[in-house]
Amino acid sequence: KENVVDLTGAIDRIKLARPIRFNYIADERNQAQDGFLAHEIGEIVPEMLFGLGKDAVNSRGEIEEQSINPQGLVPLLTAALKEAIAKIEALETRVAALEAG
Protein backbone atom coordinates (compact mmCIF):
# COMPACT_ATOMS: atom_id res chain seq x y z
CA LYS A 1 0.00 0.00 0.00
CA GLU A 2 1.13 3.56 -0.60
CA ASN A 3 -0.17 7.06 0.18
CA VAL A 4 -1.41 5.78 3.57
CA VAL A 5 -3.13 8.49 5.63
CA ASP A 6 -5.50 8.43 8.57
CA LEU A 7 -9.19 8.58 7.76
CA THR A 8 -10.61 11.84 9.14
CA GLY A 9 -14.01 13.51 9.07
CA ALA A 10 -15.72 10.14 9.35
CA ILE A 11 -18.51 11.29 11.67
CA ASP A 12 -19.51 14.01 9.20
CA ARG A 13 -19.59 11.49 6.34
CA ILE A 14 -21.58 8.94 8.36
CA LYS A 15 -24.12 11.62 9.26
CA LEU A 16 -24.80 11.99 5.53
CA ALA A 17 -25.68 8.31 5.15
CA ARG A 18 -29.38 7.43 5.10
CA PRO A 19 -29.99 3.90 6.34
CA ILE A 20 -33.34 2.63 5.09
CA ARG A 21 -35.64 -0.38 5.40
CA PHE A 22 -37.04 -1.66 2.10
CA ASN A 23 -38.36 -4.59 0.10
CA TYR A 24 -36.97 -5.66 -3.27
CA ILE A 25 -39.68 -5.49 -5.92
CA ALA A 26 -38.60 -8.83 -7.41
CA ASP A 27 -38.46 -10.63 -4.04
CA GLU A 28 -41.46 -12.98 -3.96
CA ARG A 29 -41.08 -13.38 -0.18
CA ASN A 30 -41.54 -9.62 0.21
CA GLN A 31 -39.05 -9.70 3.05
CA ALA A 32 -37.99 -6.31 4.42
CA GLN A 33 -34.30 -5.67 4.85
CA ASP A 34 -31.98 -2.90 5.97
CA GLY A 35 -29.57 -1.14 3.68
CA PHE A 36 -28.85 1.94 1.61
CA LEU A 37 -29.80 3.27 -1.79
CA ALA A 38 -26.71 2.62 -3.90
CA HIS A 39 -26.65 6.01 -5.62
CA GLU A 40 -26.93 7.81 -2.27
CA ILE A 41 -24.25 5.87 -0.40
CA GLY A 42 -22.05 6.08 -3.50
CA GLU A 43 -21.91 9.86 -3.05
CA ILE A 44 -20.45 9.35 0.44
CA VAL A 45 -18.32 6.22 -0.09
CA PRO A 46 -17.82 5.92 -3.86
CA GLU A 47 -15.49 2.93 -3.54
CA MET A 48 -18.47 0.88 -2.28
CA LEU A 49 -20.43 1.38 -5.49
CA PHE A 50 -20.67 -1.03 -8.42
CA GLY A 51 -22.65 -0.42 -11.57
CA LEU A 52 -22.91 2.13 -14.33
CA GLY A 53 -25.10 4.70 -12.64
CA LYS A 54 -28.53 5.29 -11.20
CA ASP A 55 -31.16 3.80 -13.53
CA ALA A 56 -28.53 2.90 -16.16
CA VAL A 57 -29.81 0.78 -19.04
CA ASN A 58 -27.80 -1.83 -20.96
CA SER A 59 -27.80 -2.32 -24.75
CA ARG A 60 -30.92 -4.54 -24.50
CA GLY A 61 -32.87 -1.81 -22.71
CA GLU A 62 -32.75 -3.60 -19.35
CA ILE A 63 -31.98 -1.73 -16.16
CA GLU A 64 -28.44 -2.39 -14.90
CA GLU A 65 -28.89 -2.28 -11.16
CA GLN A 66 -26.27 -0.60 -9.04
CA SER A 67 -25.04 -2.46 -6.02
CA ILE A 68 -22.78 -1.79 -3.08
CA ASN A 69 -20.14 -3.70 -1.21
CA PRO A 70 -21.10 -3.02 2.42
CA GLN A 71 -17.63 -4.06 3.60
CA GLY A 72 -16.41 -0.75 2.22
CA LEU A 73 -18.34 0.97 5.00
CA VAL A 74 -16.40 -0.78 7.80
CA PRO A 75 -13.33 1.51 7.76
CA LEU A 76 -15.54 4.60 7.74
CA LEU A 77 -17.65 3.29 10.63
CA THR A 78 -14.52 2.36 12.57
CA ALA A 79 -13.05 5.83 12.06
CA ALA A 80 -16.35 7.46 13.09
CA LEU A 81 -16.47 5.32 16.23
CA LYS A 82 -12.91 6.28 17.12
CA GLU A 83 -13.76 9.97 16.62
CA ALA A 84 -16.85 9.58 18.82
CA ILE A 85 -14.85 7.79 21.52
CA ALA A 86 -12.29 10.61 21.53
CA LYS A 87 -15.09 13.17 21.93
CA ILE A 88 -16.70 11.16 24.76
CA GLU A 89 -13.38 10.83 26.58
CA ALA A 90 -12.73 14.57 26.25
CA LEU A 91 -16.19 15.33 27.63
CA GLU A 92 -15.69 12.88 30.52
CA THR A 93 -12.42 14.62 31.38
CA ARG A 94 -14.13 18.02 31.34
CA VAL A 95 -17.01 16.75 33.50
CA ALA A 96 -14.58 15.22 36.00
CA ALA A 97 -12.64 18.49 36.19
CA LEU A 98 -15.85 20.49 36.72
CA GLU A 99 -17.06 18.09 39.41
CA ALA A 100 -13.69 18.21 41.18
CA GLY A 101 -13.50 22.01 41.09
Side-chain angles (χ1 to χ4, degrees):
K1 297 179 174 116
E2 60 183 12
N3 303 321
V4 176
V5 295
D6 288 336
L7 187 62
T8 60
I11 288 176
D12 292 331
R13 289 173 66 197
I14 287 297
K15 285 168 51 175
L16 295 173
R18 185 173 71 108
I20 59 170
R21 188 152 184 83
F22 63 93
N23 299 36
Y24 277 112
I25 295 169
D27 181 5
E28 294 175 7
R29 297 172 296 152
N30 202 31
Q31 184 173 345
Q33 54 187 296
D34 302 329
F36 300 95
L37 295 176
H39 67 280
E40 289 181 2
I41 201 70
E43 293 176 11
I44 301 163
V45 191
E47 58 272 20
M48 286 181 56
L49 194 58
F50 297 96
L52 300 175
K54 183 179 185 307
D55 300 327
V57 177
N58 65 21
S59 61
R60 295 184 305 270
E62 301 164 334
I63 292 179
E64 288 286 330
E65 293 182 3
Q66 282 185 312
S67 62
I68 60 172
N69 173 6
Q71 290 176 325
L73 202 54
V74 172
L76 186 60
L77 290 170
T78 302
L81 179 58
K82 289 178 73 172
E83 290 174 13
I85 289 168
K87 287 182 178 189
I88 290 167
E89 290 174 343
L91 289 171
E92 288 174 338
T93 300
R94 287 180 60 192
V95 168
L98 288 171
E99 288 176 344

